[in-house]
Each structure stands twice: as structure tokens, then as C-alpha cells.
Amino acid sequence: MKRTIICTVCPNGCAIEAEYTSREDLKLTGYSCKRGITYATDECFAPKRTFTSSMRITGASRRMMPVRTDAPVPKELLMDCGAATREMTLEAPMKSHQVLQENFLGSGANLIAAMTLEREA
């Protein structure tokens, strides 16, 4: 298989050419840093994404609260992450980066609040 991967790890945005039939015969060209090698390898064999969403919150001036994972999760878990957050409701106050659930769905990443919301009187 041959594909072009645009690296998003640093601002260079390298267009990395990946040619492979298995992990053992992976050939990469076009990267400008070691992080690009790791990113392209993961993208070919185990893609990951940072999960972002909104969750219901009570006791605040807003009805919804932005949330995200503090590290990328396997791409195949994204739909399950969305389903799980739809079932949850938060209660104010919430601080930005507050851990809402450790090891979210066994992904190794924590689900965290993405903003601070005070309790509304």
C-alpha cells in the first residue's frame, strides 16, 4: 500500500510518503523530524485522535460544557466515546482541565473539562 500522510505533530506539516505491506516493511520519506516517523507509523497501523465533545451540565449559566481527552485515543473508540458522553451529565462548578473520568473507556486517556464554569446561584 502507498499513501501520503500529512503530519500534524508540529507546524511543518510534512507530507510523508508511506509505502508498506506490513509494519516490518514500512518505508517512510518526506518527514523532517523523528516525531513524524512515530506519527506516520501510528497513522498507518493504529490511528489515534483527541476526542472532543460537549456534555450536559446543571447548575451553570450554560447548558453544555466542552470536554476532551488529555491524550489521543484509538480512532475505533471515538463513536463509543461519543455515546458515553451523551449518557453523562456534569454538575457545576467545573474547572478547566478537571479530570471527569480517568482512563476513559480504557483508552489510557482522561476525559477532562475544557473550560471553567462557576456554579450559578
Side-chain angles (χ1 to χ4, degrees):
M1 176 180 270
K2 186 174 184 176
R3 63 189 279 205
T4 301
I5 298 163
I6 304 301
C7 184
T8 61
V9 177
C10 73
N12 289 334
C14 296
I16 301 172
E17 295 291 330
E19 193 169 345
Y20 60 94
T21 55
S22 68
R23 187 179 282 271
E24 291 74 33
D25 79 341
L26 176 64
K27 293 177 184 69
L28 300 172
T29 58
Y31 56 88
S32 61
C33 67
K34 290 181 182 180
R35 294 182 299 171
I37 296 170
T38 301
Y39 178 81
T41 301
D42 285 348
E43 196 61 20
C44 290
F45 301 104
K48 299 175 185 170
R49 301 290 185 269
T50 298
F51 172 73
T52 61
S53 187
S54 296
M55 290 175 60
R56 287 182 299 272
I57 187 164
T58 60
S61 60
R62 299 171 59 121
R63 297 174 113 177
M64 300 296 283
M65 168 88 174
V67 298
R68 66 178 179 85
T69 53
D70 61 359
V73 300
K75 194 174 174 181
E76 63 268 10
L77 281 181
L78 291 177
M79 296 303 281
D80 293 338
C81 290
T85 56
R86 280 191 295 278
E87 300 298 318
M88 301 164 69
T89 300
L90 303 171
E91 189 169 333
M94 284 283 152
K95 298 287 183 199
S96 183
H97 295 91
Q98 180 177 335
V99 175
L100 307 173
Q101 188 171 18
E102 291 183 1
N103 192 21
F104 188 49
L105 298 183
S107 66
N110 298 320
L111 183 66
I112 62 171
M115 76 181 316
T116 296
L117 282 177
E118 300 300 329
R119 181 141 187 95
E120 191 174 72

